[in-house]
Amino acid sequence: MGSAPSEPRGTAPAPATGAEPPAEPRADRYLPGTVARTAKILVVGDFGVGKTSFIGSVSEIRPLRTEEPITEASTGVDDLARLPGKTSTTVAMDFGRITLNPSLALYLFGTPGQRRFWDMWAGLAEGAVGVLVIVDSRRLAGGFDVLDQVETHVPAPFAVAVNHFPDTPPHPHERLRGALDLLPHTPIVDCNALDRDSSVAALVALAEHALAVREPAP
Ligand SMILES: Nc1nc2c(ncn2[C@@H]2O[C@H](COP(=O)(O)OP(=O)(O)OP(=O)(O)O)[C@@H](O)[C@H]2O)c(=O)[nH]1
Ligand SMILES: [Mg+2]
């Protein structure tokens, strides 16, 4: 019995005969042929700052999520006061990919925000060349703890992205720099994690910073 001829790569599969509709072929599933470098980026932040939203906004592939419903066990532990509508939380990781320019693709790994999962950060951070620390400036104390954790466990340069919610007050960057005790060269950028362009701009700022740290000007 001869084997069926194989379809050329990219050919749409034959229609399925079962109840399941055939999966949509996604043009963006494969890396563009122009990509010469890939880099791993860690996206961290306190509970509910918008890490999963951020990776979902920028990713050109369907992001991998590990969301579970928030239960009563969180009451008094995780502060939902400023997060109306938040019903789930990341329990392991988020994953996405963005081709930042024709030759560079970033693989984005998001950490869980709940503190009982922070032990996972060290494993997720392995091989990361940069860290994007997302902060919610309405709840800045959590950001301070996250930065401590990054400095202890992640040996990679980081930038801070301030995620703006509708009631986020305007905070001058220099005040945030002081409040978070950041070094003068650490980038601070504003973003809205639900908006792709501003989120991509935050990644560009991080990538430029990571390159500058690796290859300091002579
Ligand atoms: N308006 C507005 N809402 C946002 C923004 N970013 C996140 N949200 C909302 O805030 C909530 C928390 O967002 P998530 O993306 O789940 O936050 P997270 O940091 O991944 O949360 P954990 O994984 O539980 O730590 C969700 O309900 C989002 O829709 C933003 O920039 N603007
Ligand atoms: Mg999340």
Side-chain angles (χ1 to χ4, degrees):
M1 200 166 74
S3 59
S6 60
E7 298 285 359
R9 193 178 182 201
T11 304
T17 50
E20 287 291 311
E24 281 289 316
R26 290 177 61 104
D28 55 6
R29 182 175 298 168
Y30 301 108
L31 272 181
T34 53
V35 170
R37 277 181 66 191
T38 61
K40 177 177 178 179
I41 298 293
L42 195 68
V43 178
V44 306
D46 198 16
F47 174 68
V49 295
K51 303 173 292 295
T52 300
S53 305
F54 182 94
I55 291 178
S57 291
V58 299
S59 184
E60 64 203 8
I61 56 172
R62 191 171 58 158
L64 170 78
R65 291 182 173 162
T66 60
E67 294 294 291
E68 288 295 332
I70 294 173
T71 65
E72 282 181 7
S74 278
T75 309
V77 180
D78 301 316
D79 182 9
L80 284 164
R82 312 298 290 263
L83 303 168
K86 182 165 171 67
T87 55
S88 67
T89 187
T90 304
V91 295
M93 63 181 284
D94 298 300
F95 175 75
R97 189 193 78 204
I98 175 172
T99 308
L100 206 57
N101 65 44
S103 65
L104 174 66
L106 302 181
Y107 289 107
L108 308 174
F109 288 74
T111 57
Q114 289 187 318
R115 289 170 193 230
R116 57 184 172 278
F117 299 131
W118 281 15
D119 284 348
M120 283 185 217
W121 286 26
L124 284 172
E126 217 174 304
V129 300
V131 185
L132 190 68
V133 181
I134 301 183
V135 299
D136 177 350
S137 60
R138 305 168 306 169
R139 302 180 290 130
L140 212 51
F144 203 89
D145 294 345
V146 167
L147 286 163
D148 267 355
Q149 179 84 354
V150 168
E151 283 165 354
T152 313
H153 292 288
V154 193
F158 65 86
V160 171
V162 183
N163 185 17
H164 283 251
F165 291 79
D167 61 340
T168 295
H171 291 296
H173 284 181
E174 283 324 301
R175 282 189 58 190
L176 289 173
R177 188 179 297 285
L180 292 171
D181 201 15
L182 299 175
L183 292 172
H185 69 266
T186 302
I188 304 179
V189 290
D190 293 299
C191 75
N192 172 347
L194 303 179
D195 169 68
R196 185 168 202 271
D197 289 349
S198 73
S199 300
V200 170
L203 287 172
V204 170
L206 169 63
E208 286 172 350
H209 176 58
L211 277 175
V213 169
R214 245 181 50 163
E215 294 154 16

